[in-house]
Amino acid sequence: MEEQLPTPLIEIIQLNLYLSSITIVLALVSLFFILKFKDDFSWTKFSIVGFTIIICSFVISIFLWSFWTTKVDIMFGPLNLPFLIPVTLFIGIYSKFAKTKRI
C-alpha cells in the first residue's frame, strides 16, 4: 500500500471554491437584495462589499474545514457548511449595521 501524501494547499483551495460555488452565488444574490431593500445599491458598493465578504468567508471556511471533526457531513445538499456559516454571519452583521438612505 502506498503512503498517502498530504494534499497541497492549492488543491484544497480549488476544492473549497468548487464546493462553495452555489453558496457564493446565493450569498451574492442575498447581498444584492439586502442592498436593494435598504435603498443603498450601487454596483461599486455591491462589488466591494461582496468581494470582501466572500474573501473573508473563504479564509474562515478553510480554517473551519481543516478542523471539522464532527460526524456531520460538510455538504448540506448543494451548500458547503464551512462556507455557509461565516458568510451568513458576515451578511447578517452587514445588514444590521448598513445605513439606509434617507429621502
Side-chain angles (χ1 to χ4, degrees):
M1 186 187 269
E2 293 182 29
E3 180 181 350
Q4 185 176 1
L5 299 173
T7 307
L9 182 62
I10 191 70
E11 288 183 15
I12 293 174
I13 290 173
Q14 289 173 343
L15 182 63
N16 196 12
L17 278 174
Y18 175 71
L19 293 176
S20 302
S21 60
I22 294 176
T23 313
I24 291 171
V25 170
L26 291 176
L28 290 175
V29 167
S30 65
L31 181 66
F32 175 79
F33 283 118
I34 286 171
L35 287 174
K36 276 291 196 187
F37 287 131
K38 290 206 175 258
D39 293 330
D40 194 23
F41 183 80
S42 70
W43 284 107
T44 55
K45 186 173 195 170
F46 174 73
S47 301
I48 292 171
V49 171
F51 185 73
T52 305
I53 287 176
I54 297 299
I55 293 297
C56 293
S57 298
F58 183 74
V59 169
I60 291 174
S61 74
I62 292 286
F63 287 117
L64 283 176
W65 197 13
S66 66
F67 297 116
W68 194 268
T69 58
T70 62
K71 298 204 187 279
V72 178
D73 192 20
I74 66 166
M75 294 300 290
F76 182 71
L79 303 175
N80 184 5
L81 288 179
F83 190 83
L84 184 66
I85 294 167
V87 82
T88 304
L89 289 174
F90 284 137
I91 288 179
I93 290 170
Y94 178 76
S95 68
K96 174 73 176 164
F97 294 111
K99 303 263 191 240
T100 306
K101 277 188 182 176
R102 301 288 180 199
I103 297 177

